[in-house]
Amino acid sequence: MNYNVIYDGQCNLCVTLVQLLENLDQGKRFEYIPMQDLEPLNRFGITPEDCEMGMILIDDNTPERRWQGSDAAEEIGRILPGGEVFVAAYRAMPGMKWMGDRVYEQVRDNRYTLFGKRSTTYKSVYPVGCKSIGNCDRVK
């Protein structure tokens, strides 16, 4: 199963996490769209305002199936090899989901102040659609 990750391509934290995910996944499960790239967002019916509510994860096989914010982060963790155990443990601890949601919201709303803003938009080496045309730049 493949997924599309919509992220803030100008947020230093977001870009660092996308680069980490690129290295871990190597384009096997995830492809990426910066929220500043409006054309692909339009294809999914997503607005820039939608993106301000946090990262978005879309199931490529069933695009109506989506996660946003901390739910998207948890789902990405669950999809990664070995991650399901950690996400299940996190979700099982009383109060952790609520606290995680609040922390995510604070970071999301203050990301540029806390981590800085890039002057250019980071474009992933695994952009949405690269697998279908065989044009992904594999990270070595």
Side-chain angles (χ1 to χ4, degrees):
M1 197 175 286
N2 293 313
Y3 299 88
N4 302 311
V5 177
I6 299 173
Y7 65 98
D8 184 342
Q10 293 179 340
C11 163
N12 285 329
L13 174 64
C14 307
V15 168
T16 298
L17 294 174
V18 162
Q19 290 171 333
L20 175 64
L21 190 53
E22 287 170 336
N23 285 321
L24 288 171
D25 182 60
Q26 300 281 304
K28 292 181 183 114
R29 293 172 202 84
F30 301 104
E31 292 180 346
Y32 308 87
I33 307 169
M35 68 183 237
Q36 291 79 10
D37 197 351
L38 300 179
E39 184 183 327
L41 293 183
N42 288 336
R43 281 185 268 151
F44 288 107
I46 295 172
T47 66
E49 292 77 25
D50 295 332
C51 295
E52 288 301 325
M53 298 309 296
M55 69 168 11
I56 301 171
L57 179 67
I58 301 172
D59 182 329
D60 199 33
N61 297 326
T62 313
E64 310 80 48
R65 192 168 173 215
R66 299 174 180 195
W67 299 263
Q68 187 158 19
S70 61
D71 293 333
E74 290 172 27
E75 190 63 16
I76 289 168
R78 191 192 66 73
I79 293 166
L80 289 170
E84 191 165 352
V85 171
F86 294 104
V87 173
Y90 163 80
R91 289 178 175 167
M93 288 188 267
M96 284 301 291
K97 172 69 174 147
W98 181 88
M99 188 172 23
D101 290 348
R102 303 299 79 77
V103 169
Y104 184 94
E105 291 165 4
Q106 289 300 309
V107 171
R108 174 198 70 203
D109 294 345
N110 299 289
R111 64 190 181 272
Y112 297 142
T113 302
L114 294 169
F115 301 99
K117 184 174 181 178
R118 299 168 61 93
S119 59
T120 60
T121 300
Y122 175 76
K123 303 241 181 180
S124 172
V125 295
Y126 303 106
V128 165
C130 71
K131 282 188 252 182
S132 64
I133 60 172
N135 192 25
C136 296
D137 292 332
R138 298 282 180 218
V139 176
K140 300 293 178 200

